[in-house]
Amino acid sequence: MGSCKFSTFSFLCLIIVLIVVSGEESPQLVKDRISLLSFASGIVLDPEGALESWNSSSNHVCHWTGVKCDNASDHVTQLDLSGLSLHGRISPVLANLSSLLVLDLSRNFFEGHIPAELGYLFRLRQVSLSWNLLGGNIPEELGFLHQLVYLDLGSNRLAGDIPAPLFCNGSSSLEYMDLSNNSLTGKIPLKNECELSALRFLLLWSNRLAGRVPRALSKSTNLKWLDLESNMLTGELPSEIVRKMPKLQFLYLSYNDFVSHDGNTNLEPFFASLVNSSDLQELELAGNNLRGEIPPIIGDLSVNFLQIHLDENLLYGSIPPHISNLVNLTLLNLSSNLLNGTIPLELCLMEKLERVYLSNNSLSGEIPADPC
């Protein structure tokens, strides 16, 4: 029997397929097959021929590329078509896959809006639509997915405010949220009465988010990776928030409009708030409006530190020799500030230091010899 082309999917083709497979697939799988074929009709280009198996009536739906089923319940539970260079739109008919647990359409060329109907797939645990060409607003219905663990909408063309239900009425089990590299605006909509206690990764970099870092984020005590870089966030550095995140490994706050404490004169409270984060490896504060001296307490930070970026600020005073306590540091960037004095000799004791950026300051004296 000839195959049915997705771009010209028709009711007649559907009837033929159903007749052929009705003896092999359960009624529920026949319904899932219909939904998948309807979704496929929205794919206008499949350059790698990845979905050829979908076009054959002899293939059981559970054997189609990217499709996995639960044999016990006879339902499609996973649709993973990531990285197949597919072009088209995401059909709302996917909402008919009522037992779907995983939806991964990342690294393709899907355009149009994210269907609000996906918010009614109540069993979904993982949604990844990243690295596509999706535009418009994020549908607030995604906040209805109370079992969601992983949400990645990064690197699209999404705009508008982040819907509050995504943070406040969504999954209490959410561990990973990536909305980065879009054009999202407004504030981070995390209210005091809400919490994301299981959250471990929050990636919001490269958007147009404004306002302060919400205090309720301090309830996310399991956070390992917080990336708010390249937005328009304001206020003092979030010392009291990160103080309650002892598991932090990566903290990126660069290229916002943050200031230091005490009228933008004192960095010590912020660095003090990180002393108990014993797993911290990278800290980026570049390109803000930070003033003040680099406090000696910087030497009390985690010995696991690998990179510190304090460049493109308004820091003044000398470089504290205590920084040499960070014996595993590989990169130190203090360029483009107002630092003065001499370069501390102790830097040459940092055997793992590979890159040091001190340009565009008012430093004087000799460069420490290597070895000391």
Side-chain angles (χ1 to χ4, degrees):
M1 185 183 70
S3 62
C4 304
K5 295 183 179 180
F6 300 128
S7 59
T8 58
F9 178 84
S10 67
F11 181 73
L12 178 60
C13 177
L14 175 60
I15 293 298
I16 295 173
V17 169
L18 289 178
I19 292 173
V20 172
V21 304
S22 59
E24 303 175 7
E25 297 173 356
S26 69
Q28 179 57 51
L29 281 178
V30 171
K31 292 179 181 178
D32 287 350
R33 174 188 279 262
I34 294 172
S35 298
L36 288 169
L37 287 175
S38 183
F39 159 75
S41 69
I43 296 175
V44 297
L45 184 61
D46 177 12
E48 300 178 13
L51 301 187
E52 289 182 1
S53 61
W54 290 36
N55 213 17
S56 172
S57 61
S58 61
N59 281 343
H60 193 283
V61 65
C62 298
H63 298 156
W64 289 1
T65 299
V67 177
K68 290 186 178 180
C69 302
D70 181 346
N71 294 331
S73 63
D74 267 350
H75 285 76
V76 171
T77 57
Q78 179 170 321
L79 179 60
D80 183 352
L81 300 176
S82 57
L84 298 179
S85 300
L86 301 173
H87 294 243
R89 292 177 177 266
I90 302 175
S91 171
V93 77
L94 286 179
N96 292 334
L97 301 174
S98 58
S99 295
L100 204 62
L101 302 177
V102 175
L103 175 62
D104 191 344
L105 303 178
S106 61
R107 292 179 288 119
N108 285 293
F109 297 93
F110 286 107
E111 299 180 87
H113 292 73
I114 298 173
E117 289 82 357
L118 296 182
Y120 298 100
L121 288 169
F122 299 120
R123 299 183 182 181
L124 269 178
R125 295 180 57 80
Q126 177 179 332
V127 175
S128 183
L129 306 178
S130 59
W131 294 100
N132 278 289
L133 304 173
L134 298 168
N137 297 334
I138 299 174
E140 68 173 27
E141 285 82 358
L142 294 186
F144 301 163
L145 302 175
H146 301 302
Q147 297 187 45
L148 200 62
V149 174
Y150 184 102
L151 176 64
D152 189 354
L153 307 180
S155 298
N156 278 287
R157 298 172 178 176
L158 301 170
D161 294 356
I162 300 174
L166 211 60
F167 276 84
C168 288
N169 295 325
S171 171
S172 60
S173 59
L174 191 65
E175 297 180 7
Y176 185 102
M177 180 187 289
D178 186 350
L179 308 179
S180 63
N181 199 22
N182 282 289
S183 296
L184 300 171
T185 54
K187 298 181 179 181
I188 301 173
L190 184 55
K191 301 177 182 179
N192 290 333
E193 64 270 21
C194 307
E195 62 179 73
L196 292 170
S197 57
L199 195 63
R200 294 188 295 142
F201 298 84
L202 179 59
L203 311 178
L204 302 176
W205 56 270
S206 195
N207 279 290
R208 300 173 186 172
L209 299 174
R212 296 173 179 264
V213 180
R215 284 189 172 274
L217 191 58
S218 63
K219 299 177 183 178
S220 299
T221 55
N222 290 304
L223 262 181
K224 294 183 176 182
W225 195 312
L226 177 59
D227 193 341
L228 306 178
E229 187 171 310
S230 298
N231 280 286
M232 296 183 289
L233 298 170
T234 57
E236 290 184 348
L237 290 170
S239 301
E240 294 306 312
I241 294 173
V242 299
R243 187 188 303 277
K244 299 178 180 178
M245 299 175 180
K247 299 180 182 179
L248 267 182
Q249 297 178 8
F250 303 93
L251 178 58
Y252 303 126
L253 302 176
S254 294
Y255 302 106
N256 282 284
D257 291 311
F258 290 120
V259 296
S260 62
H261 294 269
D262 301 327
N264 203 19
T265 62
N266 188 3
L267 283 165
E268 184 167 353
F270 180 72
F271 282 101
S273 71
L274 297 174
V275 168
N276 291 327
S277 298
S278 58
D279 296 325
L280 200 56
Q281 298 178 34
E282 295 186 15
L283 173 65
E284 296 193 7
L285 299 176
N288 281 284
N289 294 310
L290 303 177
R291 293 183 64 87
E293 298 185 9
I294 302 174
I297 200 173
I298 194 171
D300 295 334
L301 297 181
S302 168
V303 294
N304 294 312
F305 249 115
L306 300 177
Q307 296 190 18
I308 295 180
H309 298 256
L310 299 176
D311 45 304
E312 297 182 55
N313 281 294
L314 301 169
L315 307 182
Y316 51 81
S318 59
I319 301 172
H322 306 76
I323 205 167
S324 63
N325 293 343
L326 305 178
V327 293
N328 291 305
L329 205 66
T330 61
L331 185 150
L332 175 63
N333 194 342
L334 303 178
S335 63
S336 299
N337 278 290
L338 304 173
L339 299 172
N340 53 38
T342 59
I343 302 173
L345 295 174
E346 287 82 358
L347 288 188
C348 69
L349 298 173
M350 303 171 71
E351 297 180 355
K352 296 186 179 181
L353 197 58
E354 299 172 352
R355 290 173 287 172
V356 181
Y357 301 94
L358 302 175
S359 60
N360 294 322
N361 281 290
S362 297
L363 298 168
S364 58
E366 297 182 357
I367 299 174
D370 183 22
C372 294

